[in-house]
Amino acid sequence: MTRYRQSEPERRGPWAIVRLVALWTVLAALIVAGGAAGAAYLKQHEFFTSVAPKTPQDRAAQKELDVPIPGHPTTALVIGTDKRRGPEADVTGRSDTLMLVRADPVTGSLSLLSFPRDLIVTVKCPGRTDYRDRINAAFSECGSQGSVDTVRALTGLPINYFVTVNFHGFLQLVDQLGGVWVDVDHRYFNNQTGPGGYSAINLWPGYQRLKGYDALAYVRYRHFDSDLFRVARQQLFLKALKSQITSSLSFGTLLDIVDAVEKSVVIGRGGTKALDFNTLRGYIKFAQDLPSGHIFQARIDGLTGYAELTTDPANITAAVRDFVQPDVTSPEKARDVTLGIKRHTRVARPASVTFSVLNGNGVQGSAANAAYALGQRGYKIVLPPEGRPVNAPTQNYFNTTVVYDASQKNAKIAARQLANLFGDAHVKQLSADSPALMRLANGAMTTVVVGQNFHGTLAPAPVDRTPKRQPAVVVRNPAATLAYLRSVRHRVHFRLEVPRLIERNSRPEPLAPIRVHRMNKDHVGVRLTFQTGENEYWGIEETDWTDAPILNSPSFEHRLHGRTFDFYYSGAHLHMIVLKENGATYWVTNTILDALSNETMLAIAKGLRPLGR
């Protein structure tokens, strides 16, 4: 038998205790993180399962969608429905909002195209003969499948996703974000509700955070103007929502939103793959990385009528072209016109552009049709060595691709011009890594490889929609607002400014010519509101809030006569111009339809002067 005695434990110094505590803290953190990650995964899985199409109509609509291709533009149809919960659930269900949203990673742009709910179109309803009616009848009669088929037939565009959101989902989304910051253009008020009445609304002009029911009332309002204004309000709200989500969205907030809207949203995706978190995260990152001014609002012009709206089909075609081919240089070009900056635009004359055409889609005759169409536009064809249009080295081109020879002058410019004629065509530089393609180009400046998205016709030649320079439509009238500003200056601690120039046909809005309002707990704003025409309103916001969300990412900054101005463009239209001085900001905001010319906006902003003591 052997007897032994266990040695005394080593005495722990203070650093040993610290190390032990740190070790357990790290282990606990890893366990908590692992649990959170597991919960997040389960929440993601639950969300994508809950928003997947379940009704026969939604599943049928999903089967009709076009397959989204990574790295290519994708288009979603957003359907806002007025389907409510409770006793009204079975008797409501119209599409209150129909909007196409197109994300283009090639140009780094997001395009919006809305359809007024009263627009008369050919309604496509499976199992029924086509008929003419308001576009919102497609959803009320045939659900999402009717809306998808009707909009696709109307525009000729592929649709990769559809998203339906009802009233409850909209309210939950806005409330989970804590509200959405919106610049309200004028006084909105109606309390005549009930049978024969309109939706209640009570909003004052100015930059403010709209929550739940106020936000819903704002985007649905149309009864004292028209559907044209409602469409514009919806697009402005969507831009504000996009800005807020992409600038401050955290993973936790995203999970809260997911939890809130999962019972009120349906998302259909083209193809056999269901929507997943990585795809959703990719679209959010795309929106976060968009350059300033790269959200474009295409509009359908020439609408006539009130309860039923009609327009020439050519106006639909023009709106679709603007939607698919937004001019990403339009803010810069419009700025230069407004400021009188000379631009040296470089355009390749068709007669100076040589091109060859190759078939990359396996459809017989595609290359010959494209070659003929380009020849009709004045471009000079170069045949491959075989003496006739031939196949490309591969036949798996979905998008038409225009390849240019960088050694030839203006080749890249010419390639971009040709790409515009093919819609979603890609532009690439001819490389020595593709000897077969170089041989088939046969010395041409550009080579067009026809893809599956070419259907035999070219798009109309792009139209430069940059507004022409024109005189500012203003009148000198500081007295229009001087008394109002003097009456409120004791309520703010920053220097107010007087607009010496206002739009010629404007007058202070009768219901709310001036308003002092607390934007948040730290900042106050003074809003001047002007009415021009029957339903158009523009305004001037003066505030000490120099980093308000709306001021993020101006399109341009310029010093004019020793003063600093920020320009905010929506396409070619100057929607807001901001003067920064005296430790405050002074915003001149256009109407929601951007009715004031760029030159008028600039003149009003330059005419601001400090209120005398």
Side-chain angles (χ1 to χ4, degrees):
M1 177 181 292
T2 303
R3 297 180 65 190
Y4 67 91
R5 183 176 181 180
Q6 186 173 351
S7 59
E8 294 290 335
E10 182 180 354
R11 291 180 60 85
R12 298 182 187 274
W15 286 108
I17 296 174
V18 171
R19 286 196 299 271
L20 183 62
V21 171
L23 173 63
W24 280 107
T25 301
V26 171
L27 288 175
L30 289 174
I31 292 170
V32 171
Y41 174 79
L42 291 175
K43 174 54 66 179
Q44 294 171 30
H45 180 74
E46 178 184 333
F47 170 71
F48 291 115
T49 300
S50 65
V51 301
K54 296 179 181 61
T55 67
Q57 289 177 330
D58 287 342
R59 287 177 174 172
Q62 181 168 248
K63 291 179 181 178
E64 297 290 325
L65 295 173
D66 299 273
V67 179
I69 300 175
H72 292 68
T74 56
T75 301
L77 177 62
V78 179
I79 309 169
T81 76
D82 61 2
K83 190 173 183 64
R84 303 169 174 87
R85 292 182 172 182
E88 293 181 294
D90 294 332
V91 296
T92 57
R94 297 163 299 179
S95 55
D96 214 48
T97 300
L98 272 178
M99 182 187 300
L100 286 175
V101 181
R102 184 176 186 271
D104 189 345
V106 179
T107 60
S109 63
L110 194 70
S111 300
L112 311 175
L113 175 57
S114 296
F115 303 93
R117 55 178 286 173
D118 295 331
L119 179 65
I120 300 299
V121 300
T122 299
V123 175
K124 299 282 185 179
C125 198
R128 295 183 54 176
T129 304
D130 294 351
Y131 63 99
R132 300 283 291 177
D133 201 345
R134 295 178 178 89
I135 196 169
N136 69 342
F139 185 84
S140 59
E141 293 293 332
C142 306
S144 51
Q145 186 178 10
S147 293
V148 169
D149 290 350
T150 298
V151 172
R152 182 192 285 116
L154 178 67
T155 63
L157 294 174
I159 299 176
N160 309 107
Y161 295 88
F162 75 82
V163 182
T164 64
V165 185
N166 62 28
F167 282 179
H168 185 72
F170 179 88
L171 294 171
Q172 292 282 60
L173 171 62
V174 171
D175 285 341
Q176 281 296 334
L177 290 170
V180 175
W181 287 99
V182 176
D183 187 68
V184 178
D185 59 321
H186 71 98
R187 176 78 167 113
Y188 291 84
F189 180 75
N190 176 56
N191 62 355
Q192 302 299 314
T193 58
Y198 303 132
S199 299
I201 190 170
N202 185 10
L203 295 175
W204 291 88
Y207 187 62
Q208 58 199 278
R209 190 195 294 266
L210 295 185
K211 295 189 177 180
Y213 285 99
D214 282 339
L216 182 61
Y218 176 77
V219 299
R220 295 195 69 224
Y221 182 89
R222 71 169 180 144
H223 297 296
F224 297 106
D225 43 37
S226 73
D227 240 350
L228 302 180
F229 292 90
R230 175 160 71 169
V231 163
R233 276 188 289 271
Q234 290 172 352
Q235 292 186 344
L236 287 173
F237 185 88
L238 186 62
K239 289 174 68 174
L241 178 65
K242 172 263 170 192
S243 177
Q244 195 161 325
I245 288 178
T246 56
S247 64
S248 60
L249 185 64
S250 65
F251 186 73
T253 305
L254 179 59
L255 290 180
D256 290 339
I257 293 172
V258 161
D259 187 56
V261 305
E262 62 184 7
K263 295 181 177 62
S264 306
V265 174
V266 176
I267 302 176
R269 181 189 189 187
T272 57
K273 293 183 179 179
L275 182 65
D276 57 82
F277 186 76
N278 286 335
T279 301
L280 180 60
R281 183 173 57 183
Y283 282 118
I284 292 175
K285 187 176 188 308
F286 170 81
Q288 288 174 326
D289 295 341
L290 275 180
S292 177
H294 275 222
I295 300 181
F296 297 89
Q297 298 165 253
R299 292 172 181 163
I300 300 173
D301 293 327
L303 293 166
T304 58
Y306 181 73
E308 294 184 348
L309 300 177
T310 58
T311 189
D312 190 293
N315 292 326
I316 302 289
T317 302
V320 170
R321 182 179 65 242
D322 292 342
F323 174 72
V324 174
Q325 300 176 343
D327 184 356
V328 295
T329 65
S330 59
E332 183 180 0
K333 292 191 294 187
R335 174 208 60 185
D336 292 350
V337 169
T338 304
L339 297 178
I341 299 173
K342 298 294 185 181
R343 289 182 59 88
H344 300 286
T345 56
R346 301 173 65 190
V347 178
R349 292 182 300 105
S352 67
V353 178
T354 58
F355 72 95
S356 63
V357 180
L358 306 176
N359 191 327
N361 61 19
V363 178
Q364 187 175 1
S366 286
N369 289 339
Y372 175 78
L374 289 174
Q376 292 294 102
R377 298 287 180 92
Y379 293 92
K380 297 175 63 176
I381 189 168
V382 173
L383 294 174
E386 288 78 0
R388 56 183 175 80
V390 297
N391 291 332
T394 59
Q395 294 290 288
N396 59 352
Y397 284 80
F398 178 81
N399 282 76
T400 297
T401 301
V402 183
V403 186
Y404 65 93
D405 181 358
S407 66
Q408 300 190 44
K409 185 178 180 180
N410 293 335
K412 188 174 183 179
I413 296 172
R416 286 176 175 167
Q417 288 179 203
L418 291 176
N420 286 335
L421 298 179
F422 286 91
D424 286 341
H426 292 173
V427 174
K428 293 173 56 178
Q429 182 177 327
L430 187 62
S431 171
D433 296 335
S434 305
L437 198 59
M438 292 186 70
R439 183 183 67 83
L440 293 172
N442 203 20
M445 179 187 293
T446 59
T447 299
V448 178
V449 183
V450 180
Q452 296 174 26
N453 66 340
F454 175 66
H455 301 293
T457 59
L458 300 177
V463 178
D464 187 353
R465 297 187 180 276
T466 306
K468 303 299 182 184
R469 186 172 176 81
Q470 54 186 296
V473 183
V474 293
V475 62
R476 187 180 183 88
N477 188 8
T481 58
L482 191 57
Y484 293 124
L485 291 168
R486 284 175 174 166
S487 69
V488 302
R489 65 178 171 187
H490 65 282
R491 299 174 59 184
V492 300
H493 61 272
F494 58 90
R495 192 78 175 269
L496 295 177
E497 301 222 355
V498 181
R500 296 185 303 165
L501 302 175
I502 64 173
E503 198 273 339
R504 183 184 302 159
N505 302 306
S506 298
R507 62 188 177 112
E509 182 194 8
L511 296 178
I514 192 167
R515 179 189 176 215
V516 179
H517 60 113
R518 182 161 291 281
M519 294 177 160
N520 57 24
K521 63 183 182 66
D522 298 318
H523 302 289
V524 173
V526 175
R527 178 65 169 223
L528 293 168
T529 304
F530 300 86
Q531 182 174 0
T532 177
E534 185 177 354
N535 290 306
E536 296 265 34
Y537 301 86
W538 61 276
I540 299 174
E541 187 86 44
E542 306 190 4
T543 177
D544 59 343
W545 195 2
T546 58
D547 58 350
I550 197 174
L551 302 180
N552 292 336
S553 304
S555 304
F556 310 102
E557 180 185 277
H558 284 280
R559 293 277 295 174
L560 301 173
H561 304 296
R563 310 166 88 194
T564 301
F565 295 87
D566 284 343
F567 292 68
Y568 297 79
Y569 278 89
S570 176
H573 299 284
L574 182 55
H575 184 70
M576 186 171 74
I577 182 168
V578 177
L579 167 65
K580 300 184 293 187
E581 64 182 6
N582 304 323
T585 54
Y586 308 87
W587 323 345
V588 180
T589 307
N590 212 329
T591 72
I592 60 173
L593 294 180
D594 292 326
L596 273 59
S597 70
N598 296 349
E599 291 78 10
T600 300
M601 290 284 293
L602 179 59
I604 295 171
K606 290 169 63 176
L608 290 169
R609 287 295 183 272
L611 179 65
R613 301 284 184 188

